[in-house]
Amino acid sequence: MREPVDVRRQRILAAVQARGAARVSDLAAELQVSVVTVRRDVEELTRAGRLRRGHGVVRSVLPAPRPPGEVPDGDAVAVVVPERHTYLYEALHGARTVLEDAGVRIALHIAPQAAGAERPLVERALADGARGLLLAPRWRSLAAEEADYAWLAALQVPAVLMERRPRPGTALSAADSVCSDHRHGARLAVEHLVALGHRRIVFATRDDSPTARTLRAALAEIADAHPLVEDWAWTLSSPSAGQGGPYTVRQTAELSALLREKRATAAVLHGDVDALMLIQQLAENAENAVRVPEDCSVVAYDDVVAGIGTIPLTAVAPPKAEVGRVAAELLLQRLDKARGAAWSVRRVALLPTLVVRGSTAAHTETAE
């Protein structure tokens, strides 16, 4: 006689909660049903918030049972990331995969958009018993960044910075960090456009994070030194994208106006949303409509939503999830007391890639 669905799902739930995690194939064997049936049950239980799915593994949402008398040691790893930061959320998901596969508990802390917001969250995490930290401070300005160096350097638990590289010679310069090599990403964007025949380029970036500041400096240096770039200019990608001013009039100019002034045939924008909005603005200008890519090629930097615009954007794609995975692996090594303490500080740089789509094309004199 076939077992009722509700009974079978209760058995799955009880088995997973008793162990903390179980393989779908093992559950199917124990219940003497197909793997497909268990997967369907797990999907329903996950939708109900009673289980968590992984790759072939299902996990309990309840705390793991502890032997009698054992004192809880708090959350093993605290992860601190800024609110409303899609880019770093991808890094978070990469870290989560590694930590959960290692059986490590995670406490996620979301830092609000205020200077110094990370410190009280870290202090709370440590008070709760966190043995390690993954951190991505917002650092909207260089002053805010440097204000955090001293207390971060004084942490008494292993910590790894994600997409943050403290300035050399500072109190925090000996911290473990995993970053995308944004200078390499900037070079990919410029070389792609130059190879297509573009010689006049406008760069528009944010100026309110370490990534934005690194990218702005790298694009300027590369364009300035490139023998085939005849002229270039930089401006803020949006009025709210800068904290570090003061800026010149040109550096806060409307991007479409700056393109016309420079007779630029290409633009690189940080990030995707600003690039997609530029394409809309160029198309909506009735008097001076600019077609992408026929009149102006556009490269986005981030590749979070670049591929789903009305014109899919060519984009530089930093290895966001991999940054999180590598940072989590490094932290786990540090938490391994038998080996981690003996290793030197590690500054890992991962290379972005260029994804070519429909927003870039070869430049010809007739298109100018």
PDB file of all heavy atoms in Angstrom, residues 182 205-218 234 241 270:
ATOM      1  N   HIS A 182      40.427  44.845 -10.717  1.00  0.00           N
ATOM      2  CA  HIS A 182      39.644  45.791 -11.515  1.00  0.00           C
ATOM      3  C   HIS A 182      40.507  46.553 -12.519  1.00  0.00           C
ATOM      4  O   HIS A 182      39.981  47.053 -13.527  1.00  0.00           O
ATOM      5  CB  HIS A 182      38.903  46.748 -10.592  1.00  0.00           C
ATOM      6  CG  HIS A 182      37.873  46.058  -9.734  1.00  0.00           C
ATOM      7  ND1 HIS A 182      36.779  45.416 -10.274  1.00  0.00           N
ATOM      8  CD2 HIS A 182      37.800  45.872  -8.386  1.00  0.00           C
ATOM      9  CE1 HIS A 182      36.063  44.879  -9.298  1.00  0.00           C
ATOM     10  NE2 HIS A 182      36.654  45.143  -8.148  1.00  0.00           N
ATOM     11  N   THR A 205      31.919  56.556 -14.142  1.00  0.00           N
ATOM     12  CA  THR A 205      31.953  55.595 -13.045  1.00  0.00           C
ATOM     13  C   THR A 205      31.354  56.208 -11.791  1.00  0.00           C
ATOM     14  O   THR A 205      31.181  57.415 -11.683  1.00  0.00           O
ATOM     15  CB  THR A 205      33.394  55.143 -12.719  1.00  0.00           C
ATOM     16  OG1 THR A 205      34.088  56.203 -12.041  1.00  0.00           O
ATOM     17  CG2 THR A 205      34.157  54.760 -13.980  1.00  0.00           C
ATOM     18  N   ARG A 206      31.091  55.341 -10.855  1.00  0.00           N
ATOM     19  CA  ARG A 206      30.774  55.794  -9.519  1.00  0.00           C
ATOM     20  C   ARG A 206      32.072  56.265  -8.867  1.00  0.00           C
ATOM     21  O   ARG A 206      33.159  56.042  -9.389  1.00  0.00           O
ATOM     22  CB  ARG A 206      30.128  54.669  -8.719  1.00  0.00           C
ATOM     23  CG  ARG A 206      28.891  54.066  -9.385  1.00  0.00           C
ATOM     24  CD  ARG A 206      28.138  53.160  -8.437  1.00  0.00           C
ATOM     25  NE  ARG A 206      27.608  53.919  -7.300  1.00  0.00           N
ATOM     26  CZ  ARG A 206      26.462  54.615  -7.326  1.00  0.00           C
ATOM     27  NH1 ARG A 206      25.739  54.644  -8.433  1.00  0.00           N
ATOM     28  NH2 ARG A 206      26.060  55.275  -6.270  1.00  0.00           N
ATOM     29  N   ASP A 207      31.943  56.906  -7.720  1.00  0.00           N
ATOM     30  CA  ASP A 207      33.134  57.389  -7.017  1.00  0.00           C
ATOM     31  C   ASP A 207      32.922  57.265  -5.514  1.00  0.00           C
ATOM     32  O   ASP A 207      33.409  58.071  -4.735  1.00  0.00           O
ATOM     33  CB  ASP A 207      33.405  58.848  -7.395  1.00  0.00           C
ATOM     34  CG  ASP A 207      34.863  59.251  -7.146  1.00  0.00           C
ATOM     35  OD1 ASP A 207      35.731  58.379  -7.173  1.00  0.00           O
ATOM     36  OD2 ASP A 207      35.108  60.452  -6.916  1.00  0.00           O
ATOM     37  N   ASP A 208      32.167  56.211  -5.129  1.00  0.00           N
ATOM     38  CA  ASP A 208      31.760  56.105  -3.727  1.00  0.00           C
ATOM     39  C   ASP A 208      32.022  54.725  -3.130  1.00  0.00           C
ATOM     40  O   ASP A 208      31.320  54.299  -2.214  1.00  0.00           O
ATOM     41  CB  ASP A 208      30.274  56.450  -3.578  1.00  0.00           C
ATOM     42  CG  ASP A 208      29.380  55.575  -4.452  1.00  0.00           C
ATOM     43  OD1 ASP A 208      29.910  54.708  -5.180  1.00  0.00           O
ATOM     44  OD2 ASP A 208      28.146  55.746  -4.396  1.00  0.00           O
ATOM     45  N   SER A 209      33.037  54.028  -3.652  1.00  0.00           N
ATOM     46  CA  SER A 209      33.431  52.747  -3.075  1.00  0.00           C
ATOM     47  C   SER A 209      34.871  52.475  -3.493  1.00  0.00           C
ATOM     48  O   SER A 209      35.370  53.084  -4.448  1.00  0.00           O
ATOM     49  CB  SER A 209      32.525  51.615  -3.579  1.00  0.00           C
ATOM     50  OG  SER A 209      32.838  51.294  -4.925  1.00  0.00           O
ATOM     51  N   PRO A 210      35.567  51.563  -2.808  1.00  0.00           N
ATOM     52  CA  PRO A 210      36.935  51.228  -3.225  1.00  0.00           C
ATOM     53  C   PRO A 210      36.997  50.722  -4.658  1.00  0.00           C
ATOM     54  O   PRO A 210      37.921  51.060  -5.399  1.00  0.00           O
ATOM     55  CB  PRO A 210      37.342  50.142  -2.216  1.00  0.00           C
ATOM     56  CG  PRO A 210      36.522  50.418  -1.014  1.00  0.00           C
ATOM     57  CD  PRO A 210      35.201  50.904  -1.539  1.00  0.00           C
ATOM     58  N   THR A 211      36.017  49.924  -5.063  1.00  0.00           N
ATOM     59  CA  THR A 211      35.988  49.427  -6.446  1.00  0.00           C
ATOM     60  C   THR A 211      35.856  50.580  -7.427  1.00  0.00           C
ATOM     61  O   THR A 211      36.563  50.648  -8.433  1.00  0.00           O
ATOM     62  CB  THR A 211      34.822  48.442  -6.634  1.00  0.00           C
ATOM     63  OG1 THR A 211      35.045  47.285  -5.825  1.00  0.00           O
ATOM     64  CG2 THR A 211      34.689  48.020  -8.091  1.00  0.00           C
ATOM     65  N   ALA A 212      34.933  51.512  -7.139  1.00  0.00           N
ATOM     66  CA  ALA A 212      34.710  52.645  -8.031  1.00  0.00           C
ATOM     67  C   ALA A 212      35.955  53.511  -8.148  1.00  0.00           C
ATOM     68  O   ALA A 212      36.326  53.951  -9.246  1.00  0.00           O
ATOM     69  CB  ALA A 212      33.525  53.478  -7.536  1.00  0.00           C
ATOM     70  N   ARG A 213      36.624  53.751  -7.023  1.00  0.00           N
ATOM     71  CA  ARG A 213      37.818  54.603  -7.059  1.00  0.00           C
ATOM     72  C   ARG A 213      38.960  53.920  -7.812  1.00  0.00           C
ATOM     73  O   ARG A 213      39.688  54.568  -8.567  1.00  0.00           O
ATOM     74  CB  ARG A 213      38.232  54.961  -5.627  1.00  0.00           C
ATOM     75  CG  ARG A 213      37.243  55.890  -4.935  1.00  0.00           C
ATOM     76  CD  ARG A 213      37.764  56.401  -3.608  1.00  0.00           C
ATOM     77  NE  ARG A 213      37.790  55.380  -2.576  1.00  0.00           N
ATOM     78  CZ  ARG A 213      36.758  55.076  -1.788  1.00  0.00           C
ATOM     79  NH1 ARG A 213      35.597  55.690  -1.965  1.00  0.00           N
ATOM     80  NH2 ARG A 213      36.876  54.160  -0.844  1.00  0.00           N
ATOM     81  N   THR A 214      39.102  52.625  -7.616  1.00  0.00           N
ATOM     82  CA  THR A 214      40.136  51.874  -8.344  1.00  0.00           C
ATOM     83  C   THR A 214      39.847  51.884  -9.837  1.00  0.00           C
ATOM     84  O   THR A 214      40.741  52.092 -10.659  1.00  0.00           O
ATOM     85  CB  THR A 214      40.202  50.422  -7.834  1.00  0.00           C
ATOM     86  OG1 THR A 214      40.582  50.418  -6.461  1.00  0.00           O
ATOM     87  CG2 THR A 214      41.214  49.609  -8.631  1.00  0.00           C
ATOM     88  N   LEU A 215      38.596  51.669 -10.187  1.00  0.00           N
ATOM     89  CA  LEU A 215      38.222  51.623 -11.601  1.00  0.00           C
ATOM     90  C   LEU A 215      38.411  52.975 -12.269  1.00  0.00           C
ATOM     91  O   LEU A 215      38.929  53.056 -13.390  1.00  0.00           O
ATOM     92  CB  LEU A 215      36.764  51.167 -11.717  1.00  0.00           C
ATOM     93  CG  LEU A 215      36.248  50.868 -13.117  1.00  0.00           C
ATOM     94  CD1 LEU A 215      37.084  49.795 -13.788  1.00  0.00           C
ATOM     95  CD2 LEU A 215      34.786  50.444 -13.053  1.00  0.00           C
ATOM     96  N   ARG A 216      38.032  54.037 -11.588  1.00  0.00           N
ATOM     97  CA  ARG A 216      38.206  55.383 -12.157  1.00  0.00           C
ATOM     98  C   ARG A 216      39.692  55.649 -12.443  1.00  0.00           C
ATOM     99  O   ARG A 216      40.051  56.094 -13.541  1.00  0.00           O
ATOM    100  CB  ARG A 216      37.665  56.433 -11.189  1.00  0.00           C
ATOM    101  CG  ARG A 216      37.979  57.846 -11.630  1.00  0.00           C
ATOM    102  CD  ARG A 216      37.586  58.877 -10.584  1.00  0.00           C
ATOM    103  NE  ARG A 216      38.006  60.215 -11.003  1.00  0.00           N
ATOM    104  CZ  ARG A 216      37.805  61.310 -10.285  1.00  0.00           C
ATOM    105  NH1 ARG A 216      37.186  61.246  -9.116  1.00  0.00           N
ATOM    106  NH2 ARG A 216      38.220  62.485 -10.740  1.00  0.00           N
ATOM    107  N   ALA A 217      40.550  55.370 -11.465  1.00  0.00           N
ATOM    108  CA  ALA A 217      41.984  55.614 -11.642  1.00  0.00           C
ATOM    109  C   ALA A 217      42.560  54.743 -12.753  1.00  0.00           C
ATOM    110  O   ALA A 217      43.373  55.208 -13.566  1.00  0.00           O
ATOM    111  CB  ALA A 217      42.718  55.354 -10.331  1.00  0.00           C
ATOM    112  N   ALA A 218      42.135  53.490 -12.810  1.00  0.00           N
ATOM    113  CA  ALA A 218      42.680  52.576 -13.811  1.00  0.00           C
ATOM    114  C   ALA A 218      42.285  52.993 -15.226  1.00  0.00           C
ATOM    115  O   ALA A 218      43.120  52.999 -16.144  1.00  0.00           O
ATOM    116  CB  ALA A 218      42.200  51.156 -13.531  1.00  0.00           C
ATOM    117  N   TRP A 234      36.283  61.828 -18.247  1.00  0.00           N
ATOM    118  CA  TRP A 234      35.608  61.078 -17.182  1.00  0.00           C
ATOM    119  C   TRP A 234      34.534  61.950 -16.558  1.00  0.00           C
ATOM    120  O   TRP A 234      34.707  63.164 -16.408  1.00  0.00           O
ATOM    121  CB  TRP A 234      36.607  60.674 -16.095  1.00  0.00           C
ATOM    122  CG  TRP A 234      35.936  60.035 -14.909  1.00  0.00           C
ATOM    123  CD1 TRP A 234      35.597  58.725 -14.765  1.00  0.00           C
ATOM    124  CD2 TRP A 234      35.487  60.681 -13.708  1.00  0.00           C
ATOM    125  NE1 TRP A 234      34.965  58.508 -13.553  1.00  0.00           N
ATOM    126  CE2 TRP A 234      34.879  59.698 -12.880  1.00  0.00           C
ATOM    127  CE3 TRP A 234      35.528  62.007 -13.256  1.00  0.00           C
ATOM    128  CZ2 TRP A 234      34.345  59.994 -11.639  1.00  0.00           C
ATOM    129  CZ3 TRP A 234      34.974  62.308 -12.007  1.00  0.00           C
ATOM    130  CH2 TRP A 234      34.396  61.296 -11.207  1.00  0.00           C
ATOM    131  N   ALA A 241      26.360  59.376  -7.506  1.00  0.00           N
ATOM    132  CA  ALA A 241      27.395  58.342  -7.506  1.00  0.00           C
ATOM    133  C   ALA A 241      28.709  58.777  -6.883  1.00  0.00           C
ATOM    134  O   ALA A 241      29.637  57.985  -6.797  1.00  0.00           O
ATOM    135  CB  ALA A 241      27.665  57.867  -8.947  1.00  0.00           C
ATOM    136  N   HIS A 270      30.203  52.363 -15.202  1.00  0.00           N
ATOM    137  CA  HIS A 270      30.113  51.570 -13.982  1.00  0.00           C
ATOM    138  C   HIS A 270      28.901  52.061 -13.226  1.00  0.00           C
ATOM    139  O   HIS A 270      28.863  53.204 -12.759  1.00  0.00           O
ATOM    140  CB  HIS A 270      31.381  51.797 -13.137  1.00  0.00           C
ATOM    141  CG  HIS A 270      31.394  51.083 -11.831  1.00  0.00           C
ATOM    142  ND1 HIS A 270      31.945  51.638 -10.691  1.00  0.00           N
ATOM    143  CD2 HIS A 270      30.936  49.868 -11.463  1.00  0.00           C
ATOM    144  CE1 HIS A 270      31.847  50.779  -9.683  1.00  0.00           C
ATOM    145  NE2 HIS A 270      31.226  49.712 -10.125  1.00  0.00           N
TER     146      HIS A 270
END
